[in-house]
Amino acid sequence: MKTALDTYGAGAGGTRNIAGNSALHLRLEAELATLHRKEAALVFSSCFVANDATLSTLCSSLPGCVIFSDKMNHASMIQGIRHSGARKHVFDHNDLEHLEQQLAQYPRSTPKLIAFESVYSMSGTVGRIPEICALARKYGAITFLDEVHAVGMYGPHGAGVAEHYDYEASLRAPVGQRISGSVLDQVDIITGTLGKAFGIVGGYIAASSSLVDMIRSYAPGFIFTTSLPPPIAAGAVASIQYLSASQRERYLQQTHVRQLKDDLESAGVPVVPNPSHIVPVLVGDAESAKAASDMLLAKHNIYVQSINYPTVPVGEERLRITPGPGHDNYMRARLVSALDSVWSTLGLRRTVDWERLGGRCGVGEDRANSELHVGWKRGVENVWEDAQLKQAHDFERARKGGVPITPAIPETVQQIISAMA
């Protein structure tokens, strides 16, 4: 980024179509296309803009287009659907029967698009990507998959959950090469962010060259805005290249997530079940969720955001925790102890209390019922399976000459933690 800053300056200087285009922007798009094994990619200022611009531009350009949207889709997708002016149907979260009932209402010749996500950020549930792609083929629909909360964290190269479905095949195939028949290959449009796992800022789409050219040519959200600063593009390229090659961060995050969920279960703190890295802790009341968040920060120096309506339904208010590869065993123990203390102090419902009430959003419910809409493979608890974690571990140990895989905590952060202990 420093080299790009010295070479290009701090800003892009204009829109992509006038003066804001550079070799770094083209290189970033090439890296993203390679990551997702697609023909082309297009970078936006954020994934909110990418979703809004792509959905509104594409669906308004298809005469009579009908959009089918998952009930839990992100606000950016809802905004794009609204701006398209197309007719829409909202299907119950991950409910394939409901989606097919809606699709079956229209002739195959009617332009259709199914919009859904891979990892849903507030619940941690995973979209049923292969099944939805199969329905799309059956009824002649375009698939639009938001991988914002998955890129960098799933798949052997960090391309997301769609890549993770074909983990072994993705390991074997040359980077960037299309894997015919794979789940990733079946998805028409993938959107993602550079601002979460990749640690920079910006959003993008990856798709066929013709579709990307169409969005580049007609989407106001791309045409009429200043492009990403060249240092940002350079940083994003470096981050994508690093996470494409390194399994260390994914291994550390997933093993930490597993242990945290187990520890919270042992403490009776109610975690909404899901197969991803998201750890939603059910509170069930907006005021209590805010109070729990405030107490964690004021008394325990731990920041965890409370999530209330309209982001989640009334009665399903929660705290959302997202462990990262930099967290360690000490941090996890402090968090579990703090949550246990807050739950006792505020008298919040624990898992056994939700069981007595019949359960809510998977907590305290019959396991078969709670698995109904969590996605992923039925009967498989985690997206990252044991054998895949072992492969990631062994790969990193070999890559680093046998050095143990431990969280990399910056020295300044470690000093703060030690002072608080």
Side-chain angles (χ1 to χ4, degrees):
M1 292 177 76
K2 179 63 166 61
T3 300
L5 178 64
D6 293 340
T7 304
Y8 293 92
T15 67
R16 288 287 298 276
N17 292 339
I18 301 178
N21 200 28
S22 75
L24 284 173
H25 294 95
L26 300 178
R27 186 178 175 189
L28 173 56
E29 288 169 345
E31 288 287 347
L32 290 165
T34 297
L35 176 67
H36 292 288
R37 303 178 189 271
K38 297 296 184 185
E39 293 178 352
L42 192 65
V43 173
F44 294 80
S45 55
S46 73
C47 197
F48 192 106
V49 176
N51 284 348
D52 181 11
T54 302
L55 285 168
S56 60
T57 302
L58 176 61
C59 296
S60 64
S61 301
L62 296 172
C65 181
V66 182
I67 303 174
F68 303 85
S69 175
D70 189 288
K71 185 178 181 179
M72 290 178 61
N73 275 344
H74 189 264
S76 59
M77 300 166 77
I78 296 170
Q79 180 99 323
I81 293 167
R82 183 181 296 120
H83 285 164
S84 75
R87 184 172 184 179
K88 73 174 186 298
H89 292 275
V90 177
F91 60 93
D92 292 337
H93 179 51
N94 268 347
D95 192 326
L96 300 174
E97 291 184 6
H98 191 205
L99 172 58
E100 183 162 19
Q101 289 171 5
Q102 294 176 345
L103 288 165
Q105 297 177 37
Y106 298 90
R108 184 177 173 81
S109 59
T110 299
K112 310 175 193 69
L113 181 143
I114 305 173
F116 62 113
E117 301 181 35
S118 60
V119 175
Y120 290 84
S121 62
M122 295 303 151
S123 63
T125 54
V126 173
R128 294 184 167 179
I129 306 173
E131 295 92 339
I132 290 176
C133 287
L135 287 175
R137 289 194 304 274
K138 181 178 179 180
Y139 291 96
I142 298 168
T143 46
F144 181 100
L145 176 64
D146 181 312
E147 289 258 32
V148 160
H149 292 274
V151 289
M153 294 174 279
Y154 295 89
H157 304 293
V161 175
E163 180 192 38
H164 206 99
Y165 270 100
D166 299 284
Y167 190 94
E168 295 298 329
S170 297
L171 274 177
R172 293 191 301 268
V175 174
Q177 183 181 91
R178 177 188 174 193
I179 304 175
S180 181
S182 67
V183 173
L184 187 61
D185 188 52
Q186 296 174 48
V187 179
D188 297 306
I189 307 168
I190 290 175
T191 71
T193 183
L194 302 171
K196 290 184 168 55
F198 292 129
I200 312 293
V201 69
Y204 64 89
I205 64 169
S208 67
S209 296
S210 57
L211 188 139
V212 167
D213 283 344
M214 182 268 185
I215 300 300
R216 180 189 292 113
S217 301
Y218 293 101
F222 174 82
I223 298 170
F224 299 106
T225 188
T226 302
S227 61
L228 289 178
I232 295 296
V237 168
S239 184
I240 294 164
Q241 290 177 340
Y242 173 80
L243 280 178
S244 294
S246 174
Q247 289 274 47
R248 177 178 179 274
E249 289 72 22
R250 290 186 279 276
Y251 172 80
L252 286 171
Q253 180 183 43
Q254 293 298 326
T255 52
H256 187 59
V257 167
R258 285 193 181 195
Q259 189 59 58
L260 177 60
K261 288 182 177 180
D262 288 345
D263 290 351
L264 291 175
E265 182 180 358
S266 298
V269 177
V271 175
V272 178
N274 67 72
S276 75
H277 65 284
I278 307 293
V279 185
V281 181
L282 181 63
V283 178
D285 174 77
E287 186 176 345
S288 298
K290 178 65 164 57
S293 176
D294 290 346
M295 186 174 291
L296 281 168
L297 185 59
K299 294 189 64 176
H300 302 279
N301 294 309
I302 296 174
Y303 171 71
V304 177
Q305 181 62 49
S306 60
I307 309 295
N308 299 322
Y309 178 85
T311 307
V312 294
V314 173
E316 296 184 10
E317 293 84 359
R318 64 197 63 181
L319 303 180
R320 187 187 69 161
I321 303 167
T322 50
H327 292 119
D328 62 10
N329 294 337
Y330 172 71
M331 293 177 178
R332 184 178 65 246
R334 281 193 64 242
L335 174 60
V336 173
S337 176
L339 285 168
D340 186 51
S341 173
V342 167
W343 248 246
S344 295
T345 301
L346 297 179
L348 302 178
R349 293 189 182 111
R350 295 184 181 261
T351 304
V352 66
D353 300 313
W354 287 106
E355 289 175 358
R356 294 192 191 101
L357 293 172
R360 188 70 183 255
C361 57
V363 176
E365 293 181 346
D366 175 78
R367 184 171 181 83
N369 184 48
S370 67
E371 284 187 346
L372 189 58
H373 299 307
V374 299
W376 196 234
K377 303 170 185 175
R378 295 300 296 271
V380 179
E381 189 172 359
N382 301 295
V383 175
W384 274 92
E385 300 176 22
D386 293 346
Q388 295 163 354
L389 284 176
K390 184 179 186 306
Q391 180 278 326
H393 174 273
D394 294 347
F395 172 83
E396 281 302 310
R397 286 293 297 269
R399 193 168 74 100
K400 295 296 185 179
V403 177
I405 304 173
T406 56
I409 305 172
E411 185 178 350
T412 52
V413 175
Q414 187 62 59
Q415 289 171 350
I416 294 170
I417 295 169
S418 299
M420 291 165 48

